[in-house]
Amino acid sequence: MKEKFYITSPIYYPSAKLTIGNCYTNIICDTIARFKKLEGKDVFYMTGTDEHGQKVFEAAKKAGKTTKQHLDDIVEDTKKLWEMLDIDYDKFIRTTDKDHIQAVKKIFNKLYENGYIYKSTYKGLYCLPCEAFWTESQLVDGKCPDCGREVKPQEEEAYFFKLSEFSDKLLKLYKENPKFLMPVSRVNEMVNNFIKPGLEDLCVTRTSVKWGIPVDFDSKHTIYVWIDALSNYLTGLGYLSEDEKTFNRYWPADVHMVGKDIVRFHAIIWPAILMALGLPLPKRIFGHGWLLLGGDKLSKSKKTDTVECTDPRILVPRYSADAVRYYLLREIPFGSDGAYSTEAFLNKFNSDLCNNFGNLVSRTFSMLKKYFNLEVPVAQQDGEDDLLKTEVMEESKKVVKYMQDFDVSKALSCVFNIFSKANAYIEKTEPFRLAKDPEKQKRLATVMRNLLECIRIGATLLYPFLPCSSTKVLNALGEKAPFSLESTNEFYGIKSESVVSLPILFPRLDVEKELEELSKI
Ligand code: ME8
């Protein structure tokens, strides 16, 4: 039986259409999921939408729609977006799904019966846009630490989760599992900013928010945000349903991929809830950085005055899903923030996709057509090319190593090192010169075969990152999906006797012209 791998994205707020910042999280998840499949794992990848709470309710009102209609419209747009970006998920969960609602009620009851939930009065400082209560000490300059907006004192009867009982257990968890929360810098942040100052019990219901799941035994309360939202990782697998087969197969999650703004909820509240339910904990939580625009987090609610074109619904049809995926995966150092720039996006398209990868493929295929009528030549193993082979195999191993730690940007740069090395090999061996010398035909055959193998190995490793163009290249080489990582262990692996011509993968862009046209959209 294959080893399982369960990966989740956060469930997105459908308060407005998703941004390229949200796409960043799902592109990372999709890349990791595809890489694990390439490794031969049985992968389950879940994404979805977080549909309850005041924010969504208000957004629908503002849009002049019923809440349901507003949600359905955004969900439809979101699913189209994932299709457009080649996000190949296994399940799309909506927190308004009937089975999720049933299971969340049961989870709440179970926490209550286990003695982890009690009734009291909540007094706090509430940030409406973030739907979060804050303590005085958490505020930054008297404002919400997440979004910087005004907070207001608010009081209400509510149920509380005994989070304060979990400080020592959480400290022990981090100590015994140094890779539980990554990058490791985030561990210090959690410990110093939240656990050491003392965890307070968490308010988990509202009477003021009507758009939520009612508490089973006290229906004037609705279950507030985090128990509802975080539980999706369990309920999406069928936890506490009539059929728990999928849950038993895939839980615990191998990784919850989240942006740094929601690490606190995943690294503190979530493990505490799971411990209270007596369930195993996820193996890893990864908090990635933000895509910035003008120095701020690019977000649904902030309208930044900018000339940048950030809408994937415009970028993908114009430049391809692979181009958008490439820019986001490569340009943002994994775990850190990175500024979004349309100009950098277009320049990277030209320098990396067109000049490096695209050019290698088109030069090689056109030489193969000219010299060998697209037949795959046999290589002489004469030792002259050992350096190339060693370098390619080393880069290939590095890709696997970086992907173990989910470092997608470094892994992708190693894949492109393979293409750079193959391009340099063309410059060094000059097949166009060899072709003119009748005595050098065997050497020409060897050089061309080696280039094809570099392309095969590189394109296989590229598949999780840029699934569309790598599939085109691999199919042209006679490789059929599902592709496998194992096939990159040997330098000589092409089975097909001939290859098929390919159209240009990434046509060169006139950056000035594109910028001008985009600015008019
Ligand atoms: O937080 N750069 O939903 P959400 C990088 N519903 N990532 C970004 C980003 C940016 N500019 N903007 C948003 C929620 N994201 C909750 C999650 S999970 C049980 C509940 C990322 O729609 C953000 O960091 O506000 C988060 O990981 C994801 O998009 C969802 O954000």
Side-chain angles (χ1 to χ4, degrees):
M1 199 182 197
K2 282 186 187 174
E3 202 183 318
K4 69 94 189 171
F5 188 85
Y6 177 34
I7 178 166
T8 66
S9 81
I11 46 172
Y12 301 90
Y13 282 131
S15 49
K17 282 189 178 180
L18 303 203
T19 69
I20 199 161
N22 304 120
C23 294
Y24 179 56
T25 314
N26 250 8
I27 290 172
I28 296 167
C29 291
D30 182 69
T31 301
I32 295 170
R34 286 177 189 268
F35 196 85
K36 294 293 163 186
K37 281 185 202 160
L38 205 62
E39 284 185 329
K41 297 215 166 111
D42 167 17
V43 176
F44 195 91
Y45 162 26
M46 191 161 75
T47 187
T49 39
D50 184 1
E51 304 192 1
H52 291 123
Q54 201 60 19
K55 200 151 69 173
V56 168
F57 185 76
E58 300 289 346
K61 234 172 39 188
K62 213 167 143 196
K65 295 180 186 172
T66 63
T67 313
K68 170 95 174 71
Q69 191 55 54
H70 167 78
L71 289 171
D72 288 350
D73 290 349
I74 303 243
V75 166
E76 193 188 328
D77 179 75
T78 303
K79 285 186 175 171
K80 271 196 206 139
L81 194 58
W82 298 152
E83 198 184 331
M84 201 185 251
L85 283 163
D86 287 325
I87 305 293
D88 186 17
Y89 53 82
D90 296 285
K91 164 137 187 158
F92 190 105
I93 185 167
R94 298 181 61 172
T95 55
T96 50
D97 289 340
K98 253 197 205 131
D99 47 357
H100 172 80
I101 293 174
Q102 287 314 319
V104 166
K105 285 183 178 176
K106 288 185 194 163
I107 287 170
F108 194 94
N109 291 356
K110 206 165 168 174
L111 291 170
Y112 186 72
E113 283 152 19
N114 290 358
Y116 288 103
I117 282 180
Y118 64 93
K119 198 185 215 174
S120 181
T121 308
Y122 191 81
K123 296 186 197 84
L125 298 160
Y126 190 65
C127 172
L128 184 67
C130 294
E131 297 184 71
F133 269 106
W134 302 99
T135 57
E136 196 77 51
S137 64
Q138 287 170 330
L139 301 183
V140 176
D141 300 329
K143 304 232 164 83
C144 170
D146 271 1
C147 74
R149 280 175 276 209
E150 293 291 334
V151 291
K152 287 198 183 119
Q154 198 160 309
E155 192 177 315
E156 62 183 30
E157 180 192 273
Y159 286 90
F160 284 76
F161 173 69
K162 290 186 183 166
L163 188 63
S164 58
E165 286 191 4
F166 290 88
S167 301
D168 291 343
K169 289 189 185 110
L170 289 167
L171 290 175
K172 189 162 168 263
L173 167 70
Y174 294 153
K175 204 164 164 206
E176 287 174 0
N177 304 279
K179 287 193 167 182
F180 175 74
L181 175 58
M182 289 189 73
V184 277
S185 57
R186 308 235 186 265
V187 177
N188 295 336
E189 200 184 314
M190 289 304 113
V191 172
N192 298 332
N193 297 358
F194 300 107
I195 304 181
K196 285 214 174 130
L199 289 174
E200 288 176 27
D201 287 350
L202 183 74
C203 181
V204 288
T205 61
R206 285 285 178 276
T207 49
S208 50
V209 180
K210 295 291 167 236
W211 186 250
I213 303 175
V215 173
D216 220 15
F217 52 86
D218 194 352
S219 62
K220 77 170 189 288
H221 292 266
T222 53
I223 297 168
Y224 163 74
V225 178
W226 292 103
I227 288 195
D228 171 12
L230 290 163
S231 297
N232 92 85
Y233 302 133
L234 302 172
T235 64
L237 297 179
Y239 176 62
L240 297 182
S241 73
E242 274 168 21
D243 179 6
E244 290 195 314
K245 203 166 78 243
T246 312
F247 172 74
N248 291 330
R249 168 79 180 127
Y250 292 102
W251 190 259
D254 292 82
V255 60
H256 291 310
M257 186 58 62
V258 297
K260 64 179 188 179
D261 45 325
I262 52 173
V263 162
R264 182 163 71 99
F265 307 105
H266 286 79
I268 295 180
I269 300 174
W270 185 225
I273 292 175
L274 290 167
M275 287 181 208
L277 289 169
L279 289 174
L281 304 186
K283 292 189 195 142
R284 205 176 289 186
I285 291 170
F286 200 108
H288 66 70
W290 284 341
L291 219 58
L292 306 177
L293 201 58
D296 286 329
K297 181 186 174 213
L298 194 157
S299 85
K300 292 186 213 103
S301 53
K302 261 183 250 163
K303 288 273 167 277
T304 321
D305 187 20
T306 171
V307 291
E308 305 295 345
C309 175
T310 63
D311 190 348
R313 298 158 194 86
I314 294 170
L315 296 172
V316 171
R318 251 181 117 88
Y319 308 109
S320 78
D322 278 1
V324 173
R325 290 171 69 111
Y326 180 75
Y327 178 71
L328 296 182
L329 291 168
R330 177 82 192 262
E331 276 303 280
I332 299 151
F334 201 45
S336 316
D337 294 344
Y340 180 86
S341 139
T342 320
E343 192 172 348
F345 166 76
L346 297 169
N347 283 328
K348 271 285 170 194
F349 182 103
N350 277 346
S351 63
D352 297 10
L353 298 177
C354 170
N355 290 359
N356 190 355
F357 174 47
N359 201 22
L360 169 69
V361 174
S362 79
R363 280 208 283 180
T364 305
F365 276 60
S366 68
M367 286 194 284
L368 197 73
K369 187 166 180 198
K370 207 155 145 200
Y371 310 142
F372 294 97
N373 198 25
L374 291 173
E375 274 169 30
V376 176
V378 177
Q380 304 285 309
Q381 311 241 20
D382 50 17
E384 246 185 280
D385 306 303
D386 286 355
L387 182 64
L388 171 81
K389 292 179 204 167
T390 315
E391 283 178 339
V392 168
M393 297 322 268
E394 269 171 14
E395 292 298 332
S396 159
K397 278 191 203 122
K398 277 199 244 166
V399 175
V400 177
K401 183 180 115 334
Y402 284 128
M403 285 307 280
Q404 260 157 17
D405 281 335
F406 309 131
D407 192 336
V408 286
S409 54
K410 287 217 185 82
L412 184 52
S413 78
C414 293
V415 178
F416 271 70
N417 287 345
I418 295 179
F419 301 137
S420 305
K421 289 191 195 298
N423 274 318
Y425 179 74
I426 297 183
E427 302 312 320
K428 191 179 130 211
T429 56
E430 300 185 309
F432 29 89
R433 243 184 243 278
L434 298 174
K436 290 186 189 136
D437 185 343
E439 284 179 19
K440 302 260 170 71
Q441 291 311 294
K442 279 192 176 163
R443 179 70 192 139
L444 176 66
T446 303
V447 167
M448 291 311 300
R449 176 62 185 264
N450 288 345
L451 285 170
L452 288 176
E453 296 291 359
C454 290
I455 293 174
R456 178 187 63 84
I457 294 171
T460 308
L461 293 164
L462 186 66
Y463 170 75
F465 305 86
L466 312 190
C468 181
S469 42
S470 62
T471 300
K472 280 188 201 155
V473 172
L474 289 169
N475 287 345
L477 290 171
E479 304 285 313
K480 298 269 173 297
F483 310 118
S484 86
L485 197 61
E486 216 186 329
S487 69
T488 63
N489 290 343
E490 297 289 336
F491 188 80
Y492 291 105
I494 295 175
K495 287 177 226 76
S496 182
E497 283 173 8
S498 62
V499 308
V500 180
S501 279
L502 266 174
I504 299 283
L505 291 171
F506 298 99
R508 198 175 171 74
L509 302 171
D510 177 338
V511 175
E512 291 304 318
K513 191 172 135 250
E514 294 301 322
L515 282 172
E516 203 188 313
E517 284 183 14
L518 286 173
S519 72
K520 286 186 205 141
I521 294 175

